[in-house]
Structures are given as C-alpha cells and as structure tokens.
C-alpha cells in the first residue's frame, strides 16, 4: 500500500493508470476516502490518464492529527503528491472542500499544473454556507458520523439516485461510518469554518480552469461558483444538468468525460476559458452548449439579463 | 487477521472476545472515572465543574453497562494485560508546562480525548450483527457517548487558556492517542483482529446503470425563450 511522508505524517494514496503521459490528481470532499473515487478514476484511466488520489490528513487511512489540522498542511500534502508525479501535464480536480485545497494550491503553485477543475467548490464562506457547516458540525458532535451522513445523503444526491441506490444506502452509510472518525472529521470541519476567504487571491490563478457545478446544488450554490468564474482569468463555468453536490459519485462517467475533454483541450491548445458559461450534456459523448445568451445563469428560471445602464452621453450616441 | 469480531458462535460474539474487549474498556474508562472522581470537588463552584460531574456520571454508566451486558468467561491472559493497561493509565507528566496542576489537567483531558476518540468499539461489530444483542448495544452506546463526552476535552484542550502552551498540549494529546491506539490494537491482535482491514472493504458506491428510457424522455437542457 503506497504512503507519502509529509512532515512526519503518513498519507495514504493510490495511483492508477499509465505511469507516463498526463495525470489527474483528485482531492477528496469532507467525508470522502480514496475508494469513493474509483468509478470516476476508472473512467479517467480508460482515457489514458494516470490518476492519483489520496486521503487527506484526518481522512480514511491517512494520519489523523488529534487536535489541530490546518489547511496549509493539506495543501502541502497535495504538493508532495504532485511532485511525486514528476514533470508532465498534471491536472488537479477537487470536490467541495477538496476544491478549496486545490484552489489554494493553484494560487501558490500554478506553474506546477496544467489545469484546474474545482467541483462544487467555493472561495469564501457566506452566511448560508457557514450556517450549513456549523449545523453539520453540531450534527456530528451530537449524533455522530451516522447522523451527519443521514443529513449529507439527501443534500448531496438527487432523489432519483437515492431511490435507485436504496439497496446500497445502508451499506454505504456503514462503510462511511467505519472509515471516518468523529474527532478527525470534527477537526477537518473546524479547519474549514475558520478559513479566510480566497476571493481576492483568485486572479493569481493563471492556469486553465474548468469550474463544475451541479444544476441543483444548494449546499454550494451557483453564486459561489460564479465568484470563481468572475475572478479566475482563464476559467469557464460548466453547469451539469440535474446534478446535486456530489456529482462525481452520482455521475462519475459523465464527470470524467468532462474532465477528459477539458484536459485534452488544454493540451491541444484549444482551451479558451474567457469566463464563458456552458451547459454540460446529459450523457457521455454529448456536446457542451453555451448558456443561452441574454439569460441570467444565476437564476433557476429563464430571466433575461439586464442591459447595463447607459450613461447619458452613451444614450445620445445610441439614439 | 480479520477486521471484525468473530467468527460468531450461535450467532453471537464469542464470550472470550466479549470478555477481553470489555475488560480493556472497563480498565480504561474505570481509570478515567477514578481520575475524574479525584479531581471533582464535593461542592461545585465553577461552570466547567458541572460538565466534569456529568462526565463522571456518564463514565459510571459506561462501566455499569459493560459489566452487565458482557458474557464473561475466565480469561487467563487478562492477568498480565490488566496490569499492563493499568500502568499505562497512570498520570503522565507533561513537558513544556510550568504549572504542575495545569499539566495534570492537560494529561487528564488528553487521556479522555484519546480514549473517546481512538477507541471505536462498535466498529468491531461484524456487518449485519443483530441490533438487539446486549453486548452490541453496549458497544454502540459506548462509542456514541464517546463522541459527545470528547467535546468537553476538546473545548478545554483547544481553549484560549491553553493557547500559550498549545504545542505542549498537541504533543501530550498525540502521545496519549498513540499510546492508547497501540494498546487497543495489541489487544485486538491477540484475537487475530486488525482494524486497518476495514478500510479495504469494497466501496458501496457503484455507478447505476443509465436510465436510457428516462433520459430519452427528458426535455433538452437548453433554455428557450418563453
């Protein structure tokens, strides 16, 4: 079983796929562990990528600091893994709180990576997300990991998916409960509730960036991804139809398809972020559709965007 | 090595395994209860002493529950193991803290934190084990309560009053974690149990088959003008 050493901590990681050529590094969400990436990872490997995934400090089989976990430590671990992959095109994809770690890495070490994919991620914690986070932390403290999972399942997935996976939910809950320790999860959550906004540092990310968001994600809703799009220069926002927060689990093959296309476009020099907004296809092989011009992508109903207010001189010219 | 207790005998955890697990838990929680009892004054004068009293009572409940829910058998190995465990629970001096009394409290909290955080007795139960078994219910209860009991230790150890000695606190807690983890794992190894194996279980998630008919019936995602 492969291990990384980072400041005397042991980090569990997995590598799959060819050892040369482009690589993807996947960064976990809060209650995730490496094995939950397998369907997504396998789809990337099938497209010729080597894929590295790891348990963050406090997760799965990696060391779990007893009291204090700092985001800087997680970024350092990500850096160690990227260094291990050597000099080749490396793309980093992180979901939710893993996306924050990926963003922070890209801010400081953007020259080491070829592209960035923040998924269901955020650069600041506004009141709604803060209250979600605080309530989830209280749920963990009072009801344990099982209660936290009871809340996260319906927040992360669609009703259709939960229904189709009903026979596996209890097992999934049990496996998640086995893999996660309350104190370690609590430390992780607290390290994020205390974090300083990254928004002002986002323009420092110069690498191509594809921001993925679920159409129905209410845990990290679109304004949070819009903040990334508006501040990362070479970014595009891609909305995945009918997806909730954890689409790498609910739609692993489709998400891997989008990640593959992005990496191929970047490596072929075709990628143009330009702050554009796209709607992802519902199925693998479909085309991305530009978000209809003149409509507000921040709304859940089709509302026309307001024309910018013209100055009196501009009005005269226009008339 | 296996990740869970068992193999089952008549559908139950073997009595010898119950005995050894409960003996460990009673030894550790008993030591914590005694130390709390010594630290607890007869009359309470501060808010935090109320929490300490609550901890003391809940630890007593854990001891009582395990004592009654376990199927006990004679276990000759326990003589040495109990001696080893009891020695380990003795107060441990904290380096880097000048105030001796504060050092004692930090060690007590570190011991409590490690015991409640590291030891997950319910995670030893085989998947699908009956919910109505008293021993299983007791282990679940101990683990569930541990998550709550730990909060008092976290508040104290992360609190502003210990900020000047934060490194010493972190070292003390790491040391107790490491100590208790090693003793727990060693005890489990005597029963051919290795809890690290639980991480390699097959993931429960698999991508569901695409609902072709449903997708075909769905409208286009593109927004059209109203």
């Amino acid at each position: 079983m492969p291990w990384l050493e980072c400041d005397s901590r042991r980090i569990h990681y997995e590598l799959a796929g060819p050892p040369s050529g482009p690589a993807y590094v996947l960064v976990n969400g809060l209650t995730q562990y490496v094995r939950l990436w397998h369907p997504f990872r396998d789809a990337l490997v099938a497209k010729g990528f080597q894929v590295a995934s790891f348990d963050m400090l406090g997760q799965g089989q990696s060391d779990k600091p007893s009291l204090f976990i700092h985001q800087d430590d997680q970024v350092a671990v990500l850096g160690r893994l990227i260094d291990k992959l050597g000099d080749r095109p490396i793309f980093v994809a992180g979901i939710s709180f893993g996306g924050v770690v990926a963003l922070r890495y890209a801010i400081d070490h953007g020259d080491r990576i070829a592209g960035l994919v923040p998924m269901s991620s955020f650069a600041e914690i506004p009141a709604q997300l803060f209250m979600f986070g605080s309530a989830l932390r209280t749920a963990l403290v009072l009801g344990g990991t099982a209660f936290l999972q009871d809340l996260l399942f319906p927040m992360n997935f669609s009703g259709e998916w939960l229904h189709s996976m009903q026979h596996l939910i209890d097992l999934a809950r049990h496996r998640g409960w086995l893999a996660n320790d309350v104190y370690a999860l609590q430390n992780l959550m607290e390290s994020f509730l205390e974090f300083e906004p990254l928004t002002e540092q986002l323009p420092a990310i110069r690498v191509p960036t594809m921001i993925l968001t679920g159409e129905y994600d209410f845990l990290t809703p679109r304004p949070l991804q819009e903040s990334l799009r508006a501040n990362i220069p070479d970014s595009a926002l891609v909305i995945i139809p009918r997806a909730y927060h954890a689409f790498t689990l609910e739609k692993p093959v489709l998400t891997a398809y989008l990640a593959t296309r992005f990496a191929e476009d970047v490596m072929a020099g075709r990628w143009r972020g330009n702050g554009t907004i796209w709607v992802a296809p519902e199925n693998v092989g479909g085309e991305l559709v530009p978000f209809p011009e003149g409509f507000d992508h921040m709304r859940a109903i089709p509302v026309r965007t307001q024309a910018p207010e013209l100055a009196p001189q501009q009005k005269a010219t226009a008339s | 090595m296996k990740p869970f207790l068992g193999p089952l005998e008549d559908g139950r955890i073997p009595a010898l395994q119950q005995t050894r697990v409960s003996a460990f838990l009673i030894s550790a929680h008993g030591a914590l209860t005694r130390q709390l009892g010594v630290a607890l004054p007869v009359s309470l004068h501060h808010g935090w002493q109320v929490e300490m009293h609550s901890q003391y009572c809940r630890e007593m409940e854990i001891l009582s529950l395990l004592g009654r829910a376990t199927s006990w058998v004679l276990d000759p190995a326990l003589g040495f193991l109990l001696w080893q465990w009891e020695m380990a629970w003795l107060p441990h001096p904290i380096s880097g803290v000048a105030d001796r009394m504060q050092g004692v409290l930090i060690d007590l909290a570190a011991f409590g934190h490690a015991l409640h955080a590291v030891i997950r007795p319910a995670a030893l139960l085989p998947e699908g084990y009956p919910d109505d078994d008293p021993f299983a219910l007791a282990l679940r209860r101990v683990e569930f309560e541990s998550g709550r009991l730990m909060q008092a230790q976290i508040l104290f150890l992360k609190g502003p009053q210990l900020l000047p000695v934060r490194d010493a606190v972190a070292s003390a807690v790491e040391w107790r974690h490491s100590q208790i983890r090693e003793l727990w794992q060693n005890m489990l190894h005597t029963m051919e149990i290795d809890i690290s194996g639980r991480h390699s279980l097959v993931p429960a998630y698999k991508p569901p088959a695409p609902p072709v008919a449903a997708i075909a019936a769905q409208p286009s995602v593109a927004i059209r003008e109203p």
Side-chain angles (χ1 to χ4, degrees):
Chain A
M1 191 174 289
W3 299 92
L4 272 180
E5 287 283 335
C6 193
D7 290 337
S8 76
R9 301 280 189 194
R10 281 203 333 158
I11 305 298
H12 168 242
Y13 73 99
E14 286 186 357
L15 281 177
S20 57
Y24 252 103
V25 181
L26 311 179
V27 193
N28 292 348
L30 178 69
T31 57
Q32 201 169 358
Y33 46 100
V34 288
R35 296 177 76 84
L36 290 183
W37 285 113
H38 282 187
F40 179 69
R41 177 201 71 179
D42 293 346
L44 286 173
V45 168
K47 291 291 183 181
F49 290 89
Q50 186 175 42
V51 180
S53 51
F54 65 105
D55 289 327
M56 282 198 232
L57 283 168
Q59 291 182 325
Q61 295 179 77
S62 290
D63 277 357
K64 296 173 179 175
S66 56
L67 279 183
F68 306 106
I69 298 181
H70 304 289
Q71 268 188 44
D72 290 343
D73 299 334
Q74 311 287 16
V75 178
V77 170
L78 173 60
R80 286 297 299 272
L81 187 54
I82 288 171
D83 290 345
K84 192 173 181 57
L85 294 174
D87 191 17
R88 54 178 159 150
I90 295 172
F91 296 84
V92 177
I95 185 155
S96 193
F97 114 141
V100 177
V101 172
L103 285 166
R104 289 197 55 174
Y105 182 84
I107 288 168
D108 292 333
H109 310 284
D111 54 325
R112 280 289 292 121
I113 57 177
L116 177 69
V117 186
M119 303 181 283
S120 305
S121 195
F122 51 93
E124 60 228 37
I125 301 193
Q128 189 187 36
L129 183 58
F130 181 81
M131 291 181 76
F132 264 134
S134 300
L136 291 173
R137 179 188 166 281
T138 304
L140 175 71
V141 166
L142 294 180
T145 314
F147 185 41
L148 176 67
Q149 288 180 302
D150 283 347
L151 293 175
L152 286 177
F153 269 105
M155 291 166 93
N156 278 330
F157 300 105
S158 69
E160 293 77 15
W161 189 84
L162 290 170
H163 181 72
S164 72
M165 302 294 277
Q166 215 165 16
H167 59 296
L168 286 174
I169 296 294
D170 280 348
L171 188 60
R173 190 188 286 120
H174 186 251
R175 297 281 160 84
W177 172 80
L178 274 178
N180 286 295
D181 292 342
V182 169
Y183 78 98
L185 270 182
Q186 188 174 342
N187 286 337
L188 283 171
M189 293 172 96
E190 287 170 1
S191 77
F192 271 76
L193 288 173
E194 293 162 1
F195 104 122
E196 296 292 322
L198 302 173
T199 317
E200 288 185 4
Q201 301 169 61
L202 292 177
I205 298 177
R206 313 307 293 189
V207 292
T209 301
M210 177 175 70
I211 303 153
L212 292 181
T213 184
E215 179 187 359
Y216 297 143
D217 182 2
F218 59 89
L219 189 57
T220 51
R222 202 158 308 157
L224 293 172
Q225 274 81 45
E226 173 63 9
S227 167
L228 303 182
R229 184 193 72 87
N231 289 287
I232 299 176
D234 193 10
S235 69
L237 175 66
V238 177
I239 303 165
I240 302 181
R242 298 174 215 280
Y244 284 73
H245 188 68
F247 47 77
T248 53
L249 284 167
E250 181 165 350
K251 300 171 182 288
V253 181
L254 175 64
T255 312
Y257 167 69
L258 297 172
T260 302
R261 277 187 59 145
F262 166 66
E264 288 171 349
D265 283 349
V266 170
M267 288 188 292
R270 292 190 299 263
W271 172 261
R272 302 285 180 271
N274 294 334
T276 49
I277 303 156
W278 302 79
V279 177
E282 299 225 23
N283 296 302
V284 171
E287 283 304 311
L288 280 90
V289 180
F291 196 88
E293 199 173 340
F295 287 89
D296 187 351
H297 67 282
M298 300 293 289
R299 299 295 301 267
I301 53 175
V303 175
R304 286 192 175 279
T305 47
Q306 299 291 318
E309 193 79 18
L310 295 178
Q313 203 174 5
Q314 290 173 309
K315 279 182 185 167
T317 310
S319 61
Chain B
M1 290 283 184
K2 51 192 184 294
F4 302 116
L5 293 166
L8 304 183
E9 292 174 357
D10 298 326
R12 303 289 169 189
I13 305 288
L16 185 68
Q17 292 185 352
Q18 293 193 30
T19 298
R20 207 165 286 180
V21 168
S22 285
F24 180 96
L25 294 172
I26 287 175
S27 170
H29 285 278
L32 184 60
T33 310
R34 288 194 300 276
Q35 292 182 30
L36 285 168
V38 169
L40 197 61
V42 176
S43 300
L44 308 183
H45 301 291
H46 302 284
W48 60 268
Q49 291 171 335
V50 174
E51 178 57 34
M52 189 182 259
H53 179 264
S54 169
Q55 293 248 327
Y56 176 73
C57 294
R58 285 151 99 182
E59 292 292 348
M60 292 283 276
E61 185 199 351
I62 287 174
L63 297 176
S64 171
L65 179 62
L66 285 168
R68 288 166 170 77
T70 303
S71 297
W72 295 99
V73 290
L74 189 64
D75 180 1
L78 277 183
F80 171 72
L81 289 173
L82 278 169
W83 173 82
Q84 187 188 29
W85 298 335
E86 291 298 329
M87 290 299 105
W89 315 145
L90 292 174
H92 181 78
I94 305 292
S95 58
V97 178
D99 183 338
R100 193 166 168 277
M101 192 57 213
Q102 191 179 47
V104 169
L105 287 175
I106 290 171
D107 180 55
L108 176 58
F111 176 41
H113 186 278
L115 177 58
H116 295 134
V118 172
I119 307 301
R120 295 191 54 194
L124 294 173
L125 296 169
E127 289 181 297
Y129 192 72
D131 279 337
D132 61 345
D133 180 80
F135 180 68
L137 281 171
L139 295 192
R140 292 199 172 103
R141 185 81 187 169
V142 170
E143 184 165 330
F144 182 73
E145 283 299 333
S146 287
R148 295 180 171 197
L149 287 167
M150 183 170 50
Q151 298 310 313
Q153 285 117 30
I154 290 174
L155 276 178
F156 173 67
L157 293 165
K158 287 187 172 179
Q161 75 277 17
L162 295 185
L163 205 56
V165 289
R166 179 160 277 197
D167 287 346
V169 169
S171 299
V173 180
E174 290 289 350
W175 184 82
R176 278 294 188 186
H177 269 238
S178 161
Q179 180 205 39
I180 288 184
R181 182 179 293 110
E182 187 180 344
L183 289 170
W184 176 244
Q185 287 177 347
N186 287 346
M187 182 275 294
L188 294 173
H189 284 168
T190 65
M191 299 184 294
E192 301 287 310
I193 293 168
D194 180 5
I195 49 177
S196 66
R198 67 189 184 213
H199 290 288
S200 56
L201 295 167
V202 177
Y205 292 104
K206 285 178 190 160
V212 179
I215 288 171
Q218 286 166 0
S220 160
V221 294
I223 296 175
R224 298 184 178 84
E225 288 193 40

